[in-house]
């Protein structure tokens, strides 16, 4: 057998690809990263819309694998803004000298397994093919923009933007009539700032969203120092949390229905005053029991009606799904923005979009004249980036075929019939339900150890068995069915992309998952064949 050019090809230079490259080198493997973007950072390279920032606290949304790195990096705000997270990604790349093995501005178009040589051939839109023994798809769960196919879209004469493909030089909306389509997290962050700048903002809302306040603030250096003094404790606490964050504001391990109305209300008030996603950690059954969720839902709706002055607008903004079923939004002045005289809410449930015209957006109710349109319409999540690569495994079988009824993986890490191909934060793993940096670290470290163990066992190929994969898919479905997540049309289910198979893709419960990964290793890589 010929030697492949590199031991490992890695697709993507977001946090997953960066750490995977570092890990490969630490394990003595040669690696080549290919990145479609012009630089490192992934999500934080592409999403430069106004207000983009993380909604997991900075001290938690960062790598913990290297103590010097976590000690030296200083965050300036409780929730880091996009430019700062991008600087951090650049710092990681420079600190570990990663750039020399990254090919930028290059898109991977195909990855093909050769049964005979046991090598993968990775084809790109620029430059030579790469042959590698291992391929790691670090392509991101939220990296493929979803732009709805609205009739007439190409006829609009003004500029259009997608939040996840924002121009690097920024956009000045001064004096303009702007339309924003969508009310998910990206919209919730950008709408207040666009409204401040634009002459008029029209928000096109299909599904109302819940939002909890961020209460973002400068990070107190003393507070930061205290956390760093025992950073290991915070990281360990996060790894014990179902969402891999919240160590700064732990979850109450009690049912919402086990306490009095007064006590519950006080706890919701306290969490609201703290701010952030850990609002949902007030009780342990908010995403399990509808009646429990309803108590939180009513509390948040009460806040919405306190903030929004016009009762008709407040009614339109009121969501009816389970709170947290779609990813909870963390906001700074989102609902209050609808009190501004220059902001109009269009409820697409009452008047759906008919077409985009030369002049704006026409709903069944009116034509809204606009100078610019912002698509805050999200992503073809979790599978979109993989589906856009022609991946072929054993016998030339396309991944699209293997996943025709929805994604099927073992542990969210490997796919039966696709030897030596790994997915970081793939479907069937906790991924998007967690602080993703923790999930990325856990996957990269698992892959690193797996390959070291493979070498030690004198093997070069690892592959998930179809039986183990089937059992895993059933398990993920059963866990999801135990929660309230499948009760709404979220992107977790693929419901935001017309025609996409509806399967709940992530696995709830980080610590149990990590333990399962560990047990499988301890059992000699149960469910995998190694040769
Ligand atoms: P990405 O950062 O998405 O990187 C994947 C890279 O792969 C991209 O650069 C892409 O260009 C490249 N790529 C894909 N396909 C190809 C191809 N065919 N060829 C070459 N390159 C390719 N998570 C949290 O935990 N907390 C948060 O607060 C949070 N906020 C977010 C805010 C926004 C606006 C978005 C969109 C996501 C957010 N996330 C958050 C999720 C975020 O995606 C992850 O936290 C993390 O950044 C993912 O890193 P990654 O390396 O896995 O993927
Ligand atoms: P999203 O949550 O999928 O929201 C997209 C919005 O566009 C939804 O309101 C959706 O409505 C709407 N939409 C989609 N297609 C439409 C159509 N054809 N017509 C009208 N409306 C349409 O996407 P996102 O806001 O970009 O967020 C995606 C994820 O990225 C988040 O859930 C989160 O995980 C991450 N993120 C995090 C932050 C943060 O705070 N750190 C910020 C941004 C993103 P429906 O709900 O009806 O589908």
């Amino acid at each position: 057998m010929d030697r492949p050019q590199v031991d490992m090809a890695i697709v993507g230079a977001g946090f997953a690809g960066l750490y995977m490259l570092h890990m490969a080198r630490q394990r003595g493997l040669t690696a080549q990263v290919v990145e479609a973007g012009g630089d490192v950072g992934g999500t934080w390279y592409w999403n430069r819309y106004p207000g983009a920032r993380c909604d997991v606290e900075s001290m938690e949304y960062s790598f913990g694998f290297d103590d010097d790195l976590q000690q030296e990096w200083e965050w300036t705000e409780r929730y880091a803004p996009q430019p700062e997270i991008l600087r951090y990604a650049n710092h990681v790349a420079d600190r570990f000298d990663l750039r020399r093995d990254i090919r930028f501005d290059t898109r991977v178009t195909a990855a093909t397994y050769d049964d005979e040589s046991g090598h993968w051939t990775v084809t790109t839109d620029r430059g030579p093919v790469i042959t590698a023994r291992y391929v790691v798809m670090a392509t991101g769960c939220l990296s493929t923009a979803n732009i709805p196919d609205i009739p007439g879209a190409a006829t609009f004469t003004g500029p259009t933007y997608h939040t996840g493909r924002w121009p690097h030089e920024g956009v000045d909306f001064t004096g303009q009539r702007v339309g924003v389509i969508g009310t998910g997290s990206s919209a919730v962050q950008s709408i207040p700032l666009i409204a401040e700048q634009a002459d008029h903002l029209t928000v096109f809302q299909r599904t109302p969203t819940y939002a909890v306040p961020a209460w973002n603030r400068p990070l107190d250096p003393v507070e930061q120092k205290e956390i760093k003094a025992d950073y290991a404790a915070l990281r360990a606490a996060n790894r014990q949390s179902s969402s891999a964050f919240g160590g700064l504001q732990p979850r109450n391990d009690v049912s919402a229905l086990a306490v009095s109305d007064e006590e519950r209300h006080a706890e919701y008030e306290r969490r609201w005053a703290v701010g952030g996603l850990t609002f949902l950690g007030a009780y342990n059954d908010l995403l399990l029991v509808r009646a429990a969720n309803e108590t939180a839902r009513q509390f948040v709706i009460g806040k919405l009606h306190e903030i929004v002055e016009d009762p008709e607008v407040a009614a339109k903004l009121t969501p009816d799904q389970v709170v947290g079923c779609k990813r909870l939004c963390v906001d700074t002045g989102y609902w209050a923005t609808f009190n501004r005289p220059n902001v109009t809410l269009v409820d697409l449930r009452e008047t759906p979009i008919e077409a985009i015209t030369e002049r704006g957006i026409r709903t069944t109710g009116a034509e809204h004249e606009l100078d610019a349109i912002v698509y805050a319409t999200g992503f073809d999540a979790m599978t979109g980036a993989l589906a856009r690569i022609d991946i072929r495994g054993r016998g030339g079988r396309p991944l699209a075929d293997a996943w025709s009824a929805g994604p099927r993986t073992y542990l969210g890490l490997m796919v039966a019939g696709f030897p030596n191909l790994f997915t970081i934060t793939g479907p069937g793993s906790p991924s998007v339900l967690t602080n993703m940096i923790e999930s990325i670290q856990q996957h990269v470290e698992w892959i690193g150890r797996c390959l070291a163990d493979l070498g030690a066992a004198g093997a070069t190929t690892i592959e998930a068995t179809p039986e183990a994969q089937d059992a895993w898919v059933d398990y993920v479905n059963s866990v999801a069915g135990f929660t309230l997540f499948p009760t709404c049309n979220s992107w977790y289910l693929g419901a935001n992309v017309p025609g996409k198979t509806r399967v709940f893709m992530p696995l709830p419960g980080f610590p149990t998952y990590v333990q399962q990964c560990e047990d499988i290793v301890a059992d000699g890589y149960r469910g995998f064949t190694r040769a």
Side-chain angles (χ1 to χ4, degrees), residues 211-213 215 265 268-273 279 296-309 314 335-336:
V212 293
W215 307 129
H265 191 83
Y268 288 148
E269 282 290 4
R270 191 185 73 73
R271 294 220 170 220
W272 188 269
F279 177 81
R297 205 181 89 73
Q298 288 302 337
F299 177 86
V300 178
I301 289 175
K303 291 290 183 192
L304 154 64
H305 284 261
E306 278 170 27
I307 295 168
V308 179
E309 289 155 7
W335 281 325

Side-chain angles (χ1 to χ4, degrees), residues 282-486:
Y283 296 102
N284 65 9
D285 52 357
L286 293 183
L287 285 165
L288 299 177
V289 178
R290 206 176 264 274
N293 190 279
E294 186 60 20
T295 64
R297 205 181 89 73
Q298 288 302 337
F299 177 86
V300 178
I301 289 175
K303 291 290 183 192
L304 154 64
H305 284 261
E306 278 170 27
I307 295 168
V308 179
E309 289 155 7
D310 181 336
E312 259 182 53
V313 176
K316 285 181 184 173
L317 286 168
T318 303
D320 55 12
Q321 72 270 18
V322 159
V323 56
C325 181
K326 292 190 180 205
R327 163 85 173 208
L328 184 60
C329 298
V330 177
D331 82 304
T332 300
Y334 173 64
W335 281 325
T337 298
F338 293 92
N339 295 332
R340 294 176 66 102
N342 71 331
V343 175
T344 307
L345 178 67
V346 175
D347 184 348
L348 298 178
R349 292 169 307 177
E350 283 174 6
T351 54
I353 294 177
E354 276 184 343
I356 294 181
T357 66
E358 276 178 33
R359 291 181 304 178
I361 297 180
R362 192 177 73 232
T363 67
T364 54
E367 180 165 13
H368 302 270
E369 290 194 13
L370 303 167
D371 300 307
I373 296 176
V374 174
Y375 289 94
T377 45
F379 302 89
D380 182 352
M382 304 205 69
T383 55
L386 295 170
R388 281 157 182 77
I389 303 172
D390 183 7
I391 301 172
R392 288 171 190 258
R394 272 194 199 285
R397 187 180 190 202
L399 185 69
D401 180 29
W403 284 11
S404 59
R408 301 181 71 77
T409 71
Y410 185 37
L411 301 177
L413 274 162
M414 295 200 86
V415 183
F418 295 78
N420 290 352
L421 178 93
F422 297 90
T423 50
I424 297 186
T425 63
S429 74
S431 73
V432 291
L433 296 177
T434 66
N435 168 4
M436 290 200 70
I437 295 210
E438 279 294 346
S439 279
I440 287 167
Q441 280 194 167
Q442 187 255 340
H443 267 189
V444 169
E445 285 161 13
W446 193 94
I447 294 167
R449 181 180 45 174
C450 164
L451 296 182
D453 290 347
L454 194 67
T460 51
T461 308
I462 179 161
E463 186 176 355
T465 67
E467 297 74 25
Q469 177 169 284
D470 289 348
W472 187 255
V473 170
D474 289 348
Y475 169 73
V476 173
N477 285 335
S478 70
V479 174
F482 191 64
T483 72
L484 296 172
F485 282 118

Side-chain angles (χ1 to χ4, degrees), residues 144-150 153 160-162 165 375 377-380 498:
T144 304
N146 169 46
I147 301 188
D149 188 13
I150 300 174
T160 59
Y161 309 97
H162 184 278
R165 291 287 177 272
Y375 289 94
T377 45
F379 302 89
D380 182 352

Side-chain angles (χ1 to χ4, degrees), residues 10-19 33-49 52-57 60-61 63 79-80 82 85 103 105-110 123-125 137-144 163-165 185-186 189 243 245 277 327 378-379 384-386 388-390 424-425 431-440 491:
I10 301 167
V11 191
F15 285 125
L18 291 178
Y19 186 31
V33 180
V34 182
E35 166 57 55
D39 210 336
V40 300
T43 286
W44 307 103
Y45 171 86
W46 295 107
N47 290 262
R48 299 173 189 234
Y49 60 84
R53 62 177 69 246
C54 61
D55 58 7
V56 168
E57 300 199 29
E60 301 181 285
Y61 188 75
F63 281 128
Y79 298 99
Q82 171 271 330
I85 306 175
R103 202 196 286 175
D105 294 311
T106 307
R107 185 166 287 280
V108 169
T109 52
T123 312
T124 65
D125 64 358
M137 292 294 174
T139 43
C141 294
L142 297 160
S143 56
T144 304
T163 49
R165 291 287 177 272
S185 298
S186 303
Q189 286 187 329
S243 49
F245 67 93
L277 292 170
R327 163 85 173 208
F379 302 89
L386 295 170
R388 281 157 182 77
I389 303 172
D390 183 7
I424 297 186
T425 63
S431 73
V432 291
L433 296 177
T434 66
N435 168 4
M436 290 200 70
I437 295 210
E438 279 294 346
S439 279
I440 287 167
W491 59 256

